Amino acid sequence: MTDVYQKQLHVGVAVIIKDHKVLISKRPEHVHQGGLWEFPGGKVEPGETIEAALKREIQEELGIDVISSRHLIKISHHYKDKTVLLDTHIIEQFAGHHYPDNSLSTGAEGQPVQWVSVNQLSHYAFPAANAAIINALQLPPVYAISADLQTQTMAVSAINTLLDKHHLVQIRLKSLSGKALEEIIKQVMEKAMDKVQILFNSSMRLPHYLHQQSAGLHLTSRHLFNDEFIAQYKNMYPNKRVSASCHNQDEIERANALKLDFITLSPVQKTRSHPEQPPLGWEKFRQLTELAAMPVYALGGVQTDDIPQAQVYGAQGVAGIRCFS
């Protein structure tokens, strides 16, 4: 653990999942962020592993025995009175006390406890630090990106294939413009309907009515530092997702300042498209990911088979172009 983390309150957070529902509990009124809902957990003691802390805290709070867990996201959040490092793990295997699915229950410490659908989490009042956790839970492990094809027929066919397989897709057609590009987007948006979240690459010039139909915008590295461009988009579409391509610490810190929904971080490994770019490698990827205040997708030389490894190193999952079509 680095020096910056030693100055923070290190908290283990458990996202306990069963049948697409998450177990949440309500904080006592008299404590920090009292009266708000939270994911259970607690302070990681000096010399204690995150796994040991979660097992101890979840047994104490809920009477639940953690059998296995996996990393979800690690985020730092600054309140006025304290700074917390939320080391968040998903608990998919557990035993012990059973809480009924469809009613408000009481935890081992007398706190209200309830199972909530992942999609309904945003309807509950959580501490601000939990926003990135909720965001991570609602994002899939794969972020598919369309290849930059140069004909309408090829582009529509390739994007439709992505829409059949994935739930989060970036349309990135930099070589097309005008009516040809608009017609492609119209066709694929009709297919996507409400089943797929589609983000447009910021390099594409598209009319207002198409932006209204999208889930959001993915910023290129150039647009990431364009204040006017970002302000204009957020002013017009305040409730849409905004993500970005990042490659280094400066770009991640910029994404943090903008409070983006997620980022891609690349290249993790050598790629055929940019063989001259030195890869980050998994350890450097982990170090940079820990600086991010939002979910991070590993991009560059990765495939869907790499999702478990990427998640071990702190990623939400993987992103890619060629290998996901």
Side-chain angles (χ1 to χ4, degrees):
M1 194 159 59
T2 62
D3 289 343
V4 66
Y5 291 149
Q6 290 172 359
K7 298 174 183 177
Q8 304 179 79
L9 178 63
H10 189 189
V11 178
V13 178
V15 178
I16 304 170
I17 294 182
K18 183 183 72 171
D19 300 329
H20 306 292
K21 290 186 176 181
V22 178
L23 192 63
I24 61 174
S25 58
K26 202 167 193 179
R27 295 179 64 80
E29 294 289 344
H30 66 277
V31 302
H32 181 260
Q33 301 291 306
L36 299 179
W37 290 91
E38 67 174 354
F39 302 101
K43 181 181 177 182
V44 180
E45 300 294 343
E48 189 177 35
T49 66
I50 177 63
E51 291 79 10
L54 287 173
K55 286 184 178 182
R56 174 180 53 77
E57 288 285 349
I58 300 312
Q59 174 54 232
E60 291 174 1
E61 289 186 29
L62 299 168
I64 288 176
D65 298 314
V66 174
I67 297 173
S68 66
S69 65
R70 69 169 177 84
H71 174 86
L72 175 64
I73 191 171
K74 184 186 286 187
I75 53 169
S76 178
H77 187 86
H78 305 284
Y79 292 106
K80 289 182 179 179
D81 54 344
K82 67 171 66 177
T83 298
V84 294
L85 174 68
L86 302 184
D87 205 338
T88 310
H89 284 229
I90 287 182
I91 315 297
E92 293 176 316
Q93 288 187 295
F94 54 91
H97 188 82
H98 172 74
Y99 291 93
D101 289 353
N102 300 313
S103 63
L104 191 66
S105 305
T106 302
E109 298 176 339
Q111 74 277 32
V113 174
Q114 187 170 358
W115 289 102
V116 176
S117 167
V118 170
N119 293 330
Q120 295 296 314
L121 286 170
S122 56
H123 297 173
Y124 290 76
F126 282 81
N130 285 212
I133 299 173
I134 295 171
N135 186 29
L137 286 170
Q138 295 175 341
L139 286 171
V142 173
Y143 180 33
I145 305 169
S146 71
D148 189 17
L149 300 171
Q150 299 183 5
T151 71
Q152 182 171 332
T153 301
M154 291 173 63
V156 170
S157 176
I159 295 171
N160 281 342
T161 298
L162 292 181
L163 300 183
D164 287 334
K165 296 180 178 180
H166 304 291
H167 299 290
L168 182 65
V169 174
Q170 179 196 151
I171 298 182
R172 178 181 175 272
L173 298 172
K174 296 185 176 184
S175 300
L176 293 164
S177 60
K179 290 295 182 182
L181 176 60
E182 188 174 338
E183 186 58 36
I184 291 170
I185 302 301
K186 283 169 61 178
Q187 288 185 51
V188 298
M189 293 302 285
E190 287 175 5
K191 179 179 177 67
M193 299 294 287
D194 297 327
K195 300 175 185 176
V196 183
Q197 294 185 65
I198 290 184
L199 278 72
F200 297 145
N201 187 280
S202 64
S203 64
M204 301 189 306
R205 297 178 65 86
L206 293 169
H208 173 66
Y209 80 94
L210 287 177
H211 278 294
Q212 286 182 310
Q213 297 175 33
S214 75
L217 190 73
H218 185 92
L219 300 170
T220 62
S221 296
R222 178 171 62 86
H223 282 133
L224 178 61
F225 289 91
N226 188 326
D227 291 335
E228 183 179 356
F229 180 89
I230 294 169
Q232 184 178 30
Y233 183 84
K234 287 191 169 184
N235 183 57
M236 292 183 69
Y237 313 104
N239 298 319
K240 292 189 181 295
R241 289 190 181 278
V242 181
S243 59
S245 297
C246 294
H247 309 85
N248 53 52
Q249 181 173 338
D250 287 345
E251 291 176 349
I252 291 173
E253 289 175 350
R254 171 66 173 172
N256 288 344
L258 292 170
K259 299 181 179 179
L260 299 189
D261 292 283
F262 66 90
I263 61 172
T264 60
L265 180 57
S266 66
V268 180
Q269 302 184 106
K270 271 193 173 296
T271 64
R272 286 180 296 168
S273 57
H274 298 89
E276 75 288 349
Q277 270 190 295
L280 295 169
W282 284 112
E283 190 53 44
K284 181 64 173 177
F285 175 87
R286 183 210 298 273
Q287 293 170 14
L288 289 172
T289 295
E290 289 191 348
L291 300 176
M294 72 288 291
V296 179
Y297 285 94
L299 172 64
V302 295
Q303 303 182 44
T304 51
D305 289 346
D306 295 311
I307 290 173
Q309 181 176 16
Q311 291 175 337
V312 166
Y313 283 89
Q316 173 75 19
V318 296
I321 303 172
R322 294 169 181 81
C323 57
F324 298 153
S325 58

